[in-house]
Amino acid sequence: MSGKKLPPIRKSIDVHVPPARAFDVFVRKMHDWWPAEYTPFPRSSIVIEPKADGRWYEKGVGGEEGNTGKVVEWQAPNRVVLAWQIDGTWKYDPKLVTEVEVRFTSDGNGGTHVALEHRDLDRIGELAEPTQAMMDGDEGWSALLKRYAAAVKGA
């Protein structure tokens, strides 16, 4: 551990679909918006099992599987909390748990406010600060949420 408590990363985006559809695209169609280059093998899908303690993993076209984490809480269609178990070298670590909480709130006009919080990044240890800086920067969660919003629009 670096010993320094890091603040959570908070990002949000508004999409023009109801919360149930926004939730569905986030968790069941992640392969449509999560960059393929983030997977170390040719990917066929990303799976988030729809239950607490469900797996979060990528499936390869050749049958490979790569773990990302697990489901901590599943409250469809309003909230999901995922354990992000990727370390500062971008490898899966089953002992590491940082949390990604995503809330889907109706805006009252048929759209949804999607609020993401990635917390406990200090648990990554020595690489916590550079990892957080990258994930909080333009190429991190902000870019991912823009890709997600485009997938929602096209879904």
Side-chain angles (χ1 to χ4, degrees):
M1 291 270 242
S2 69
K4 181 179 180 182
K5 182 70 175 165
L6 298 173
I9 296 169
R10 291 186 178 100
K11 304 291 179 185
S12 65
I13 199 159
D14 294 313
V15 293
H16 301 290
V17 298
R21 184 70 182 140
F23 183 94
D24 186 62
V25 172
F26 195 94
V27 299
R28 292 189 178 91
K29 297 185 177 289
M30 188 176 271
H31 61 272
D32 289 346
W33 57 271
W34 195 265
E37 60 270 18
Y38 289 7
T39 306
F41 47 78
R43 181 180 77 209
S44 64
S45 64
I46 296 176
V47 178
I48 299 177
E49 295 176 343
K51 60 183 180 178
D53 292 321
R55 293 176 61 206
W56 176 14
Y57 64 100
E58 296 172 289
K59 292 171 98 173
V61 294
E64 313 89 335
E65 287 188 359
N67 290 314
T68 302
K70 62 186 175 187
V71 178
V72 177
E73 294 183 46
W74 184 272
Q75 298 173 358
N78 302 16
R79 181 174 173 259
V80 65
V81 180
L82 303 168
W84 171 279
Q85 295 179 272
I86 303 298
D87 69 15
T89 65
W90 307 108
K91 302 279 190 263
Y92 174 74
D93 179 351
K95 294 177 280 200
L96 172 68
V97 175
T98 69
E99 286 188 348
V100 177
E101 178 177 2
V102 188
R103 292 182 178 269
F104 303 84
T105 307
S106 172
D107 67 6
N109 294 312
T112 303
H113 180 72
V114 180
L116 179 143
E117 179 177 289
H118 193 165
R119 55 185 171 253
D120 301 321
L121 286 156
D122 45 283
R123 294 177 180 172
I124 291 173
E126 290 179 10
L127 296 175
E129 290 184 55
T131 301
Q132 183 189 37
M134 191 288 302
M135 294 178 84
D136 198 21
D138 292 342
E139 298 303 314
W141 281 115
S142 293
L144 289 170
L145 287 178
K146 286 177 187 170
R147 291 176 62 106
Y148 159 74
V152 168
K153 189 174 184 179

